[in-house]
Amino acid sequence: LGFVPGPWMQSIQVSKGASSVKNGYESITGQINIEYLKPQSTEVGKPVVHGNAYLDSQMKYELNADYATHLTDRVTTSFLMHYEDRQSDHDSNDDGFMDMPKLRQAHGMWRAAYVSPKWISQLSLQFLTDKRHSGTSHHHGMSTDVQDYDIDIKTQRAVVQWKNGFTLNPDRNSSIALMLQGSVHDADNTYGRTAFDVNHKNVYAQLMYETDIRKRTNLSLGASLNHDNYDEIYDTGMCAFPAPSVWHTHDKETTAGFYLQYTYKIDEKFVFMRGIRFDHSSVYGNFFTPRLHIMYSPAEFVSFRASAGKGYRSPHAMAENSMLMASGRNFCSEDLKQEEAWNYGISAAFHIPVDDKTIELNAEYYYTDFINQMVINIDGQKGAHSVSFENLDGKS
């Protein structure tokens, strides 16, 4: 969330439980989608400029700006910029260690959109650089006789995304969409004498087709391809003879799949949506992802929902838990399996009008049952000075 500037956000959508199979096989407990400001929301001949500045008592400041305009009646473009900086030592309890890291981040995005009656195309380029420094604090005349313990985290990230939507038959809501995305995420982490560098490259493509079969039924089908490339270097900074002090791993995973989703509606009061995915991973082999969603709204002020579905996830123990390296413990790991779980949930929403206002009441219950899960055992199999990453043994 620290990489998402607040003034850039247009809206947030939250999906609880197992979401649609169109969004992939990974949403075990839900998904969060963030929509950034769109250039096509501006009016022709009226460029929009926003600026925002922030300063707090810890001498952290932020600068935000965005600009959007129409180049033609159908082509729009926008630029979004963000910069934040905090370089003061924050050590309120005077224990010699910073309570919050020093921070410097620069973030920029360029977006362009083409909108015609039958074709919508959106292209975006995004680049981020983020540096954080923590550890030993030097203020209030604190002694510097002891060797510093420094934590440095440097992150660089670049993303390119291209989305296209084509309307084939408006009368039947028939359309086809193609989405392409590529990203490079490079993080260099140092905890004292321990260093962990990870470079992650990702390429994703998805082709989707939707159409109304009849008045109340909709069919959606598509295919996706995802490729992950992890290059990790772990250096303990110790003389660990005869065991190596530097570990270098290179992991690749390519997952190709297709999905089918069927939606049935009855007078907008009852919606039944069933979907299934089949995916093949170059690491974990074949797997199926079934999903079911039901919505019933007997009146405008109340709606009931139920969902059930399966989800999967590929674990990357070290990259996801690099903060544990600040503990000075040793790490060991089993041959980790793919995470796999079922999720079930029900919810009810009530919209009660009071004068010209509306009171919203929500009640929900979700249950996740893991078939396999990456367990982070901070007691470790080799004593309290180790952390072990294990496959689930029992229930979770």
Side-chain angles (χ1 to χ4, degrees):
L1 290 176
F3 294 163
V4 182
W8 290 16
M9 291 191 294
Q10 178 172 297
S11 61
I12 298 177
Q13 294 86 35
V14 179
S15 170
K16 296 185 180 182
S19 66
S20 166
V21 291
K22 292 192 289 186
N23 298 329
Y25 55 84
E26 290 186 315
S27 59
I28 294 177
T29 60
Q31 287 183 326
I32 298 176
N33 179 58
I34 298 174
E35 279 194 285
Y36 292 114
L37 297 172
K38 296 181 179 180
Q40 59 265 42
S41 60
T42 59
E43 298 181 28
V44 178
K46 295 182 179 180
V48 175
V49 180
H50 290 127
N52 171 282
Y54 168 86
L55 177 68
D56 65 19
S57 60
Q58 302 300 328
M59 299 310 295
K60 174 188 175 181
Y61 67 90
E62 293 186 16
L63 300 172
N64 300 280
D66 60 84
Y67 170 79
T69 187
H70 273 258
L71 300 180
T72 68
D73 291 345
R74 295 183 175 181
V75 179
T76 54
T77 187
S78 65
F79 297 89
L80 298 94
M81 291 156 283
H82 169 83
Y83 181 82
E84 60 181 294
D85 192 292
R86 179 181 58 232
Q87 295 302 315
S88 61
D89 282 9
H90 185 280
D91 183 13
S92 296
N93 57 358
D94 293 327
D95 66 349
F97 289 89
M98 282 183 264
D99 302 330
M100 292 192 298
K102 296 180 180 180
L103 166 66
R104 179 172 289 138
Q105 182 187 120
H107 197 170
M109 176 186 285
W110 170 77
R111 305 192 74 180
Y114 174 82
V115 180
S116 70
K118 289 195 173 184
W119 179 30
I120 297 177
S121 181
Q122 299 181 81
L123 178 66
S124 67
L125 302 174
Q126 187 176 359
F127 180 78
L128 173 141
T129 178
D130 182 276
K131 296 182 179 180
R132 298 167 190 256
H133 175 80
S134 188
T136 310
S137 172
H138 300 293
H139 69 295
H140 301 305
M142 197 163 291
S143 173
T144 59
D145 295 337
V146 181
Q147 182 180 356
D148 290 346
Y149 180 84
D150 293 323
I151 298 176
D152 287 291
I153 300 175
K154 301 176 182 178
T155 304
Q156 289 187 315
R157 178 173 175 82
V159 182
V160 56
Q161 187 179 69
W162 189 26
K163 296 181 179 180
N164 292 275
F166 303 89
T167 301
L168 303 177
N169 186 342
D171 295 333
R172 300 188 62 177
N173 292 318
S174 298
S175 63
I176 189 170
L178 175 65
M179 293 183 287
L180 304 172
Q181 179 175 299
S183 65
V184 178
H185 189 106
D186 186 79
D188 298 334
N189 307 275
T190 303
Y191 300 89
R193 288 184 290 183
T194 301
F196 178 67
D197 300 338
V198 57
N199 182 281
H200 174 221
K201 298 181 180 68
N202 173 265
V203 177
Y204 178 79
Q206 183 177 10
L207 183 65
M208 308 168 61
Y209 172 74
E210 288 194 20
T211 186
D212 289 343
I213 304 175
R214 297 183 183 88
K215 183 179 179 181
R216 297 175 180 174
T217 59
N218 176 271
L219 179 68
S220 176
L221 53 92
S224 64
L225 179 68
N226 185 79
H227 176 74
D228 286 305
N229 187 315
Y230 284 85
D231 195 10
E232 299 173 308
I233 300 176
Y234 175 54
D235 186 354
T236 63
M238 300 285 189
C239 179
F241 184 81
S245 63
V246 180
W247 300 86
H248 188 181
T249 60
H250 192 82
D251 295 327
K252 294 181 180 180
E253 182 184 8
T254 302
T255 305
F258 63 89
Y259 72 86
L260 179 68
Q261 182 170 278
Y262 174 82
T263 304
Y264 179 68
K265 299 180 181 180
I266 302 178
D267 298 331
E268 303 298 329
K269 291 185 177 182
F270 178 85
V271 179
F272 175 90
M273 187 171 71
R274 177 66 189 271
I276 189 169
R277 286 187 64 97
F278 169 80
D279 291 272
H280 173 79
S281 166
S282 60
V283 177
Y284 302 106
N286 301 328
F287 52 95
F288 287 92
T289 309
R291 304 273 173 86
L292 174 66
H293 297 80
I294 299 173
M295 192 274 286
Y296 176 61
S297 181
E300 292 184 358
F301 63 89
V302 61
S303 62
F304 303 96
R305 289 178 172 85
S307 67
K310 209 173 190 182
Y312 301 85
R313 198 181 75 90
S314 301
H316 297 276
M318 298 293 283
E320 296 165 11
N321 298 280
S322 60
M323 65 282 184
L324 294 176
M325 297 178 188
S327 66
R329 302 185 183 209
N330 298 316
F331 293 87
C332 56
S333 176
E334 298 180 0
D335 184 13
L336 296 174
K337 301 177 183 179
Q338 188 181 35
E339 290 194 320
E340 180 180 357
W342 285 94
N343 183 280
Y344 314 94
I346 56 174
S347 66
F350 302 88
H351 306 275
I352 305 171
V354 179
D355 294 331
D356 58 341
K357 306 292 183 180
T358 301
I359 296 177
E360 294 187 9
L361 298 177
N362 294 279
E364 56 196 30
Y365 176 81
Y366 288 91
Y367 183 86
T368 306
D369 185 13
F370 281 91
I371 299 173
N372 184 61
Q373 183 180 17
M374 179 180 69
V375 178
I376 306 168
N377 186 351
I378 59 172
D379 295 320
Q381 295 178 339
K382 298 181 180 180
H385 295 287
S386 66
V387 176
S388 60
F389 302 104
E390 309 163 7
N391 293 305
L392 178 65
D393 182 12
K395 289 186 173 294
S396 178

